Amino acid sequence: MNATSGFETAPETETDPGRVVLLTTSHRVAPGLLSWPAWQVLHAADRVLCADGTHPQLPYLRDAGTAVEEASPTAEDLLDACAGGRTVVIVTTGEGDPALTDGLARLAGSGRVRMPDLELLPASYDLPGARLLDLVQVMDRIRLECPWSSRQTHKGLAKYGIEEAYELVEAIEEGDRDELREELGDVLLQVVFHARIAEEGSEEGTAPFSIDDVAAGIVTKLIHRHPHVFGDETASTPEDVKEHWLRTKAVEKQRESVTDGVPLGQPGLALAAKLASRVHTAGLDVPLPQGDGIGYELLEMAVRAERDGVDPEAALRAAARAYRDAVRVGEGVAGAAAEQ
């Protein structure tokens, strides 16, 4: 049938306006995986129409015994097709068939015609995290077609990972929710970008892995390190959870020292606090090294902060922001006083 002409209508003598069902599907769900109400409507419909002959759902609908006509009816055509109590299902395209829905809205608003029952029926839904599939697809295309992105390496991107992490921390400390959402996206981009590069296995002597391998690895780790959630152990306090985590991690890593695995490249105050935390958690009594200079004084202050439950890096950043504001006030910068 031609998609724009030759549309067969019901006899004009019928008066029951019938029913129109707009069936929507998600491209993020495998074709053919439709809800039970959707299959019921499809099997009971008098006619099933779709304007897109290449719609990914069509082969599965036809395999299930549903006859689908390739047609693009106008709103008036659809009213005629439904007359007499008939049910017509429209399998919508990715754009949602706006011309048809706008036409139906105009007819309904005119008050001159008796409209059929209109129903929007989602046949498949996006599960939580479904938009991550879009991100993976976009990253694939950018990696292939963008002159800059296609040349990036893990080492070349490393500095951006650090920058984005700091910007995320700043958004958290500033309490800016919009900025937080954006910075989380930027951090997520770094993960997907590195995984996309790793998938190519282009670095000599390295085995390729994909974003699915990354996700599978962290899922396995989380399940293994939360036996109180996924296993038979119990934990009623955050301290119990931390004990489970550290005990499981120690078995996994088989480290010789509590300092193993602490990244030495992190900022100095954070490094000192992390080492102090490891020592405290292990129940060790290790005196601080003695020496002259500001470095040893800062070390002592960072250890004291960790002992008191204070993040020395966050505390210093807060003080630095206060200093920045004071400088702006001293400079007479417009709006600086309001920021204080």
Side-chain angles (χ1 to χ4, degrees):
M1 176 181 294
N2 186 285
T4 57
S5 63
F7 189 80
E8 181 181 352
T9 63
E12 296 182 1
T13 56
E14 302 290 355
T15 58
D16 187 333
R19 177 189 183 200
V20 175
V21 180
L22 300 177
L23 198 72
T24 64
T25 58
S26 170
H27 69 276
R28 302 178 190 92
V29 178
L33 297 179
L34 307 181
S35 65
W36 177 239
W39 282 118
Q40 288 181 307
V41 166
L42 287 165
H43 288 313
D46 294 287
R47 300 176 70 179
V48 179
L49 311 177
C50 182
D52 181 7
T54 64
H55 196 294
Q57 296 288 350
L58 298 192
Y60 298 91
L61 299 183
R62 288 166 176 153
D63 285 347
T66 300
V68 183
E69 306 169 40
E70 183 182 348
S72 298
T74 64
E76 291 79 3
D77 290 336
L78 198 55
L79 263 63
D80 290 339
C82 292
R86 291 174 172 79
T87 295
V88 177
V89 175
I90 305 295
V91 180
T92 63
T93 63
E95 293 75 26
D97 297 326
L100 177 60
T101 54
D102 289 348
L104 290 171
R106 284 195 297 271
L107 286 177
S110 70
R112 297 192 300 269
V113 295
R114 186 180 178 192
M115 296 295 294
D117 292 333
L118 300 178
E119 179 182 350
L120 179 64
L121 178 60
S124 59
Y125 301 82
D126 285 345
L127 296 175
R131 294 307 299 270
L132 294 175
L133 299 176
D134 291 345
L135 175 57
V136 172
Q137 292 177 350
V138 169
M139 188 69 251
D140 282 344
R141 183 168 180 179
I142 290 175
R143 179 64 173 173
L144 291 173
E145 300 181 18
C146 173
W148 183 86
S149 299
S150 62
R151 291 173 170 82
Q152 296 309 302
T153 63
H154 293 304
K155 290 183 179 179
L157 291 175
K159 63 180 180 180
Y160 300 110
I162 296 173
E163 291 174 4
E164 299 299 352
Y166 277 128
E167 291 177 6
L168 171 61
V169 171
E170 182 176 0
I172 293 172
E173 292 179 346
E174 294 287 352
D176 188 327
R177 298 288 292 180
D178 291 336
E179 193 70 14
L180 173 61
R181 181 178 63 251
E182 181 178 345
E183 297 304 335
L184 284 170
D186 290 343
V187 171
L188 179 59
L189 170 60
Q190 297 303 309
V191 175
V192 176
F193 205 158
H194 280 284
R196 180 62 180 81
I197 294 172
E199 189 172 1
E200 299 168 5
S202 55
E203 297 184 7
E204 187 175 353
T206 61
F209 61 83
S210 69
I211 188 65
D212 288 320
D213 297 317
V214 174
I218 191 60
V219 166
T220 300
K221 180 186 290 185
L222 287 174
I223 292 175
H224 185 57
R225 293 188 183 178
H226 289 77
H228 53 289
V229 176
F230 301 99
D232 298 329
E233 296 194 35
T234 59
S236 56
T237 66
E239 290 73 23
D240 291 340
V241 175
K242 187 175 182 180
E243 181 181 348
H244 283 319
W245 182 277
L246 293 174
R247 184 171 64 247
T248 305
K249 190 173 181 179
V251 173
E252 291 175 355
K253 300 297 184 180
Q254 293 294 308
R255 288 169 173 162
E256 295 180 352
S257 168
V258 297
T259 65
D260 290 346
V262 176
L264 299 180
Q266 63 184 301
L269 288 178
L271 171 60
K274 186 64 176 179
L275 291 170
S277 174
R278 289 283 186 92
V279 170
H280 179 262
T281 301
L284 300 176
D285 183 13
V286 181
L288 291 176
Q290 299 301 308
D292 297 327
I294 191 67
Y296 288 93
E297 295 177 22
L298 290 172
L299 173 63
E300 183 178 354
M301 294 176 66
V303 172
R304 187 173 77 241
E306 192 281 330
R307 185 178 62 240
D308 295 340
V310 176
D311 180 350
E313 281 286 339
L316 181 57
R317 281 195 300 273
R321 282 196 296 273
Y323 183 37
R324 174 206 59 190
D325 295 342
V327 170
R328 291 169 64 84
V329 170
E331 294 172 329
V333 176
E339 297 175 3
Q340 285 281 359

